[in-house]
Amino acid sequence: MNLWIWLLLACVLAYAWKLVGYFVPAKLLKDPRMSRIAGTMTIGLLASLTIVNTVASGQTLAADARLGALAAAAVALAFRAPFLVVVVVGAGAAALLRLIGWN
């Protein structure tokens, strides 16, 4: 199959999955466990996406400035810095590490 067909199929499936959400009964959504599960899944998905983007480069693992940036951002988070500060600290750490030659 052509790549465009797969792309269009993925778009249709994503939109259909979104539409299925409208058919979930309201009683199920008011359950506090459902809110807790949805919040936990969101955190887990975001954390896994962050790790994959940090240590993967194509089909290989990479140890470069992104690891240092993630570590610096984690330290900023540990000190309860605001989100914008965490982003700036991570970007600054990556820039400094690349400046000293850790690509």
Side-chain angles (χ1 to χ4, degrees), residues 26-83:
K27 183 175 85 171
L28 182 65
L29 296 176
K30 290 181 182 177
D31 187 10
R33 289 180 298 174
M34 186 59 69
S35 296
R36 197 168 49 243
I37 289 170
T40 306
M41 285 178 57
T42 305
I43 292 167
L45 288 171
L46 183 59
S48 64
L49 179 64
T50 301
I51 295 300
V52 166
N53 284 327
T54 300
V55 299
S57 180
Q59 295 291 324
T60 61
L61 293 178
D64 57 8
R66 293 177 290 180
L67 285 175
L70 183 63
V75 169
L77 278 175
F79 283 114
R80 305 251 183 224
F83 179 71

Side-chain angles (χ1 to χ4, degrees), residues 69 72 86-98:
V86 172
V87 172
V88 170
V89 166
L96 287 174
L97 287 171
R98 288 187 174 135

